[in-house]
Amino acid sequence: MNIELTADGSNTLFVPELNEHYHSVKGALTESEHIFIRMGLEHHPSPTPRVLEIGLGTGLNAFLTLLYADKAQRLVHYTTLERYPVPSELIEQLDYPERICPERAADFYALHRAAWEEDVQITPYFTLHKIQTDFTTYGFPDKYDVIYFDAFAPEKQPEMWTQALFARLFECLNPGGILTTYCAKGVVRRTLQVVGFTVERLPGPPEGKREILRASKP
């Protein structure tokens, strides 16, 4: 994997084998804040939301959620599924805390150093549960309020975007729960609708994708 600078000054990772970036080259930070925090977590009314992230990756979404939870004083329980954790030397080279919130650098690295398969309280408002697993075979024993669906693009990993898997995500959401994703392809929207979601097309991040999707469980 290689580190690449994106248009908003934040870094992302590029995977040559997939010819795919972890984030938008138009702006990694801008994309994550818009899709998962503003259009996702902020949209759910629960004071104690349970968040599920499909793909820990660089930890950017988790770090932004931690900062938001502390600022909003919302008790967030954050579960993240990751099959292939990013090596620690790459995590350090991304320089996310230096770019986003230098005084919280210790919290960013605590996310990555936290033990797997158990609850770890990183701050008074943010508890992390990392699970090293294959999303396509995971059983989803718990219920969630918000899902960040941040898998690689459908054309790169089609096995991650099947109707069967979205049906399992629908079942693990509490009523009123929401799922957000950067991918607004028609086939993804229709698949979400087939399994029971009410789907909205929303404006994408500035200088990024034109539209994103937010799916709600009635």
Side-chain angles (χ1 to χ4, degrees):
M1 287 188 287
N2 306 314
I3 294 177
E4 293 191 6
L5 186 67
T6 70
D8 67 2
S10 58
N11 290 318
T12 190
L13 292 175
F14 175 70
V15 185
E17 294 82 1
L18 294 175
N19 190 29
E20 179 78 328
H21 293 86
Y22 271 64
H23 309 93
S24 170
V25 296
K26 300 289 187 180
L29 173 58
T30 302
E31 176 189 54
S32 289
E33 283 185 326
H34 179 82
I35 297 170
F36 301 113
I37 306 302
R38 296 197 186 103
M39 299 298 176
L41 184 54
E42 285 187 7
H43 188 73
H44 197 282
S46 172
T48 58
R50 297 182 65 87
V51 177
L52 172 66
E53 178 188 35
I54 306 300
L56 173 63
T58 63
L60 178 57
N61 295 337
F63 186 48
L64 293 175
T65 302
L66 178 152
L67 295 176
Y68 167 78
D70 284 4
K71 182 178 180 180
Q73 297 188 351
R74 295 175 73 184
L75 293 169
V76 174
H77 186 281
Y78 195 95
T79 299
T80 182
L81 309 182
E82 178 59 63
R83 188 176 184 182
Y84 301 112
V86 175
S88 59
E89 60 269 21
L90 283 177
I91 293 298
E92 293 175 3
Q93 293 173 40
L94 285 166
D95 290 333
Y96 282 151
E98 290 74 14
R99 158 73 177 164
I100 299 168
C101 191
E103 63 272 22
R104 304 297 296 274
D107 290 329
F108 174 75
Y109 294 112
L111 295 171
H112 290 282
R113 294 170 183 151
W116 293 80
E117 322 301 336
E118 63 182 68
D119 282 0
V120 179
Q121 187 174 14
I122 307 296
T123 78
Y125 289 100
F126 186 89
T127 296
L128 177 68
H129 192 109
K130 298 192 300 186
I131 302 172
Q132 190 168 359
T133 188
D134 182 346
F135 159 64
T136 64
T137 60
Y138 187 64
F140 299 101
D142 299 312
K143 295 288 188 179
Y144 304 95
D145 300 301
V146 179
I147 295 176
Y148 299 169
F149 196 84
D150 201 17
F152 286 130
E155 61 269 24
K156 306 296 182 178
Q157 288 188 317
E159 72 277 9
M160 300 283 283
W161 298 80
T162 67
Q163 181 176 323
L165 291 176
F166 279 126
R168 286 160 60 191
L169 292 179
F170 182 84
E171 290 303 318
C172 79
L173 269 177
N174 288 317
I178 57 176
L179 177 153
T180 55
T181 180
Y182 64 88
C183 184
K185 290 180 178 293
V187 63
V188 173
R189 176 178 54 82
R190 291 188 293 272
T191 301
L192 289 166
Q193 291 172 329
V194 165
V195 303
F197 284 105
T198 300
V199 184
E200 303 170 82
R201 289 193 186 97
L202 301 173
E207 307 302 326
K209 289 180 175 289
R210 185 168 60 87
E211 292 181 328
I212 65 169
L213 295 181
R214 181 168 64 211
S216 304
K217 182 174 181 176

